[in-house]
Amino acid sequence: MLKANISVLVSGSGTNLQALIDAQSSGVLKSGEIRLVISSAEDAGALQRAKDNGIARAVVPAKQTTREEFEAGISALLERHGTELIVLAGFMYILSADFVKARPGRIINVHPSLIPAFCGKGFYGLRVHEAALEYGVKVTGATVHYVNEIPDGGEIILQKAVRVKQNDTPETLKKRVSEEAEHKLLPLAAELVSRDIVRRRSSK
Ligand code: GAR
């Protein structure tokens, strides 16, 4: 059966992209295939990971462009590569309502907290963990969800809790949430959604 065609959107080091690539090799991700990596930054470490694994890659710079140009650049690449599922893996930009509404159920995102805590506009990367520590929560985690027009507001697919330790810094917490939760959940969710896309395609 033809696998779901996946594009991964990234902005940074790409450890979540790596988890997806590893899941493809191990067979955890078997209903979808990563065919393209699009980075919003030229110097994103994720690009090297794509290169090392023979995956097509492209840069659509987010800086010094309008949002319309940025999204038009991404859309053109997605169309050209026949993308069926878009995985946001450390992608640091909020996609417009028009972009998202045109692709219902076809965009998923990994967020480093237990939504609805510490999410939405302004909560990304290390800031999420800083906010969790400031608040004093004893449990945090990660969430994979569908993307809709509300930032971090789409239907939840999977969540996993991670304990906060007494001496945690934002950096140690980020590392543990990534390793114990994000890197496990994102491949599982990508498989679930890919399987669904393939099933729907073959029942048409
Ligand atoms: C990850 O922790 C991801 O959850 C977070 O950025 C990091 C990217 O790491 N994403 C967000 O905060 C989006 N709201 P990576 O580039 O190593 O995968």
Side-chain angles (χ1 to χ4, degrees):
M1 199 181 295
L2 206 57
K3 295 183 179 193
N5 180 332
I6 301 174
S7 285
V8 183
L9 270 57
V10 297
S11 299
S13 65
T15 63
N16 279 290
L17 170 65
Q18 190 65 52
L20 290 165
I21 293 169
D22 294 346
Q24 226 172 235
S25 309
S26 69
V28 169
L29 175 53
K30 55 179 187 294
S31 306
E33 185 179 340
I34 306 163
R35 304 270 284 274
L36 176 66
V37 171
I38 302 175
S39 173
S40 61
E42 234 169 87
D43 58 354
L47 288 168
Q48 188 63 41
R49 297 181 195 268
K51 186 172 181 219
D52 292 345
N53 289 279
I55 301 168
R57 60 202 185 282
V59 179
V60 180
K63 300 221 167 99
Q64 285 151 7
T65 47
T66 64
R67 177 203 270 249
E68 287 74 20
E69 284 168 345
F70 179 54
E71 290 191 352
I74 293 172
S75 290
L77 283 163
L78 295 173
E79 298 305 320
R80 196 178 319 142
H81 286 260
T83 302
E84 295 174 286
L85 172 61
I86 301 164
V87 178
L88 308 184
F91 183 68
M92 296 303 172
Y93 296 88
I94 294 173
L95 295 164
S96 70
D98 284 349
F99 185 100
V100 168
K101 279 184 182 160
R103 300 165 175 87
R106 296 304 184 101
I107 313 176
I108 65 173
N109 177 49
V110 61
H111 183 77
S113 75
L114 292 174
I115 290 175
F118 313 118
C119 66
K121 202 163 181 279
F123 286 101
Y124 57 86
L126 207 56
R127 289 186 194 198
V128 178
H129 304 292
E130 284 166 356
L133 289 175
E134 264 166 36
Y135 197 95
V137 293
K138 303 299 178 204
V139 175
T140 183
T143 303
V144 181
H145 62 94
Y146 285 106
V147 174
N148 68 6
E149 62 280 12
I150 302 159
D152 297 325
E155 186 190 336
I156 290 172
I157 304 168
L158 293 172
Q159 286 188 305
K160 188 167 192 284
V162 173
R163 202 170 291 280
V164 178
K165 293 186 180 170
Q166 208 165 17
N167 297 326
D168 263 330
T169 62
E171 289 78 10
T172 60
L173 189 55
K174 176 180 194 284
K175 186 167 185 285
R176 212 162 55 257
V177 168
S178 293
E179 291 173 356
E180 290 183 10
E182 293 185 53
H183 297 169
K184 294 193 167 84
L185 287 190
L186 187 59
L188 289 176
E191 171 58 21
L192 286 174
V193 179
S194 294
R195 205 184 301 164
D196 194 48
I197 288 171
V198 170
R199 199 182 302 136
R200 281 168 199 259
R201 204 205 284 133
S202 54
S203 68
K204 264 187 193 165

